[in-house]
Structures are given as C-alpha cells and as structure tokens.
Amino acid sequence: MDGSDPSVRALRALVAVSPALDPGIEVVVCVPCFRRPRYLRRTLESLVAQRTHRRFAVVMVENDASKSESVPVAAEYLASGKFAGVCVIEPRQGNCHAINAAFETALQMFPAATSFLMIDDDEIASPDWLELMVRTAGATGADIVGGPVFPEFEDERKRGLRRHPAFAPAYEASGPVPVIYGCGNCLIRRSVFTRLGMPAFDLRFNFLGGGDTDFFYRCMRLGLRFHWVAEAVISETVPQSRTSLRWLVTRGLRIGAINYHVQRKATTTIWLRAKLTAKLLAALPLSLVYAVRAILTERERTIAMHPVTVAIGSALAAFGLEPQPYKASKIIS
C-alpha cells in the first residue's frame, strides 16, 4: 500500500512545487517541519551540498497550518531549482501526522522511488550522507538503514551532555544491527511500507513521540533487516531549552512511556500485560543501582538520573500518566 485513505490526503494542501518534477526519481528525502524556519534553511542548505551523482527529490511537510513559517523557506528553495520536490501542509497537528504525511506524499508523487530518507528540520546532513545511506542499502540489501545524530549545543557549556542517553547515538560502529530507534537519520525501502501498510506511524504516539521506535520494532518483528552507517553523520542543533534539568527529566519520562507502549502492543493477553506491568514496577529499584553506577563512572547527575526517570516513566504510563511533548502548546521552538 502506497498511500493512506484518499479522504485523508485531501486534507493536505500542496503549497509549493519545483519547476521540474520527475516522477522517475528513485531517492526522496522527507523533512517534517514545525516552527523552525531558520533551522530549516540550514537543513536545506546541507541537502543542496550533498556530494552525490544520484538525483533526489525533497518532500517538506509544514505541520503548523496557522502560521506556516516553513512554507516561504521551502518555496524559495523549490523555486530556485536547487533540488526538485514539493511542500505540503498537514493540518492535523502532531508528530506522527507530519511524518506520515511526508512518507505518504513521497510514495504517491514519486512512484519510481525505492529509497525514502528522513531528516528533521533542526538537523544538518554531512556532505556524503545521502550517498552513504543509499549505497549501503544497495550493497547490503538492508530494508532500513540508520546513522548517528550528533548534538550541537547552542550553549557550549553543555557539551558534557553528548554522552547523555537522550543525545548519544545507539551504535558506534557500522554494520548489521537488530533495530534502530529513531527516524531523524534513516533510510526506508518502499517495500517496507508495503509490508507494514499505512499509516506507517501509529497515531497513538502522535503527541507522546516514539512512533518511530514503534515502527522500527514492528519491522524487527517481521524479520526486516537493519544496517548502521557510522559515517553517515547528521548533526542536530540543540537549543538551551532542551538542556535544562526539567527537559531532561521529561525526556526520560517520555522514553519510559514509549518503552511501555511499544512493549504493551506486543502483549496479546491480560496475563501478559499484568506481567509487563510487574516487570516495569520491579525495574524501579534496579534503576537506582544503575544510577549509582552512573554517578561513579560519569560524574554527571543528569546522566545518572536518566535510568530512574525512564523507569518512573514506564511505571506511570502503565497507569495512564504520560507527557505529551508534541502538542503544539507545549513545543518551544
């Protein structure tokens, strides 16, 4: 299946198209956008600077229908002819709505495309990023390829947080991996969407986040193959607001809630769900041991407290309490 319900697609507005739009393009880069036009410009510049002979298109999705601050930037780059592509507005707000709109638009408008990459609108791709991702997919036959996203802190005094689990990449070395966890640096084959159907990202994660983690775990359960490319680097701009103690605690709670919901989807009986809840509650005292160990090795309190906040987040989610950071009212640009 290459698209969602036609009535859903009809809600989206196509607001910008490049002068030349070849449906035969085989590589598409998807960029969900929300209230970061200045950062989006840097993202698009990094795509213009890609060192590759491959033709690719860019699909941008504006998820703030009221202000649409990303649209003028997207329209400027599309009109310049620096790359082919489109920009659409997804009026239904939320992380999963935006990403689903990006992939669905790309699948529909580029029927010959076989590789769909994603980069966020606060990220910058290294010059060989696209070439490395596509080449690796072809050479390994992997269904999904992932790469590292390294934080670039606006406040240089926060560089010690690079080791924090909220910012550190999942893997260090290139090679086959069991699963990846985030879509901020990924390549997904068209066949994956055919296997999983649409919408790709479960809307139950729309405001919590973690729709990508859930998506990739479903892929893993189907036996799809993952590969990691350590050299396909993306950097992420991290504002001061995302290095505060409050934000890091909320991030830990959110990760815990995501872990709970991803695991709960795999439990099919009341008994299995009860066992999952018991396991998560038992993880609370164990997390204190991890925290003490982290204090001794990292000497950074925010890193040490992360396993505790994750465990608390999972336990709270089991009782229906969880953060919703992707609601528009709670997003700080």
Side-chain angles (χ1 to χ4, degrees):
M1 184 183 300
D2 281 355
S4 64
D5 187 325
S7 63
V8 172
R9 295 200 303 269
L11 295 173
R12 300 170 189 147
L14 181 63
V15 292
V17 183
S18 61
L21 197 63
D22 182 359
I25 285 176
E26 297 183 353
V27 179
V28 182
V29 180
C30 296
V31 188
C33 309
F34 189 82
R35 296 181 182 173
R36 293 187 284 216
R38 180 168 61 91
Y39 291 164
L40 174 61
R41 187 176 294 277
R42 298 171 63 189
T43 302
L44 298 182
E45 279 296 328
S46 74
L47 296 180
V48 171
Q50 289 299 295
R51 293 190 292 233
T52 182
H53 68 279
R54 304 176 195 272
R55 295 186 307 132
F56 66 91
V58 180
V59 171
M60 292 159 279
V61 174
E62 169 62 85
N63 197 217
D64 184 8
S66 61
K67 294 184 178 180
S68 298
E69 295 174 309
S70 303
V71 171
V73 178
E76 173 192 333
Y77 275 81
L78 291 172
S80 71
K82 293 180 178 178
F83 49 69
V86 301
C87 178
V88 302
I89 294 178
E90 169 54 73
R92 298 169 302 164
Q93 202 272 313
N95 177 265
C96 292
H97 278 313
I99 297 172
N100 284 336
F103 286 132
E104 288 166 13
T105 300
L107 287 161
Q108 179 191 12
M109 298 199 71
F110 298 96
T114 56
S115 297
F116 300 85
L117 295 91
M118 186 174 144
I119 182 171
D120 286 330
D121 65 343
D122 61 347
E123 296 179 340
I124 299 172
S126 55
D128 297 314
W129 169 68
L130 184 143
E131 179 63 28
L132 287 169
M133 296 288 278
V134 178
R135 186 191 304 167
T136 298
T140 64
D143 301 290
I144 297 164
V145 179
V149 177
F150 290 114
E152 296 294 336
F153 297 101
E154 288 187 340
D155 185 349
E156 285 294 319
R157 295 171 298 179
K158 301 291 186 176
R159 292 191 65 185
L161 289 175
R162 289 174 67 89
R163 303 187 310 278
H164 193 287
F167 301 112
Y171 307 102
E172 294 183 357
S174 297
V177 292
V179 70
I180 67 172
Y181 303 95
C183 62
N185 183 358
C186 71
L187 178 152
I188 304 172
R189 296 275 204 170
R190 178 181 285 270
S191 57
V192 174
F193 296 108
T194 303
R195 290 282 301 275
L196 270 76
M198 291 294 180
F201 282 27
D202 190 334
L203 296 178
R204 284 176 285 184
F205 294 88
N206 196 42
F207 294 123
L208 171 65
D212 46 2
T213 302
D214 171 70
F215 175 81
F216 292 131
Y217 265 88
R218 283 186 283 136
C219 291
M220 181 183 69
R221 294 189 196 106
L222 287 174
L224 301 184
R225 291 180 293 170
F226 294 80
H227 202 94
W228 187 259
V229 189
E231 299 78 17
V233 173
I234 280 179
S235 61
E236 173 188 30
T237 303
V238 182
Q240 283 187 305
S241 60
R242 289 173 54 196
T243 58
S244 68
L245 179 60
R246 179 179 179 180
W247 188 92
L248 291 168
V249 169
T250 302
R251 178 66 175 249
L253 295 174
R254 182 170 74 89
I255 291 173
I258 291 168
N259 291 345
Y260 167 73
H261 285 294
V262 169
Q263 293 178 69
R264 188 180 185 279
K265 285 184 68 175
T267 59
T268 55
T269 66
I270 294 176
W271 168 242
L272 288 175
R273 289 174 182 172
K275 285 183 65 177
L276 173 61
T277 301
K279 183 183 79 170
L280 295 176
L281 291 175
L284 282 168
L286 186 60
S287 71
L288 295 174
V289 177
Y290 294 144
V292 171
R293 183 184 303 168
I295 288 175
L296 296 176
T297 57
E298 297 289 346
R299 302 189 183 279
E300 169 62 55
R301 62 171 183 164
T302 55
I303 295 177
M305 68 190 296
H306 183 74
V308 178
T309 57
V310 170
I312 293 173
S314 294
L316 290 175
F319 294 98
L321 301 172
E322 60 194 35
Q324 293 190 324
Y326 287 103
K327 277 194 172 180
S329 60
K330 298 183 180 181
I331 294 177
I332 301 174
S333 301

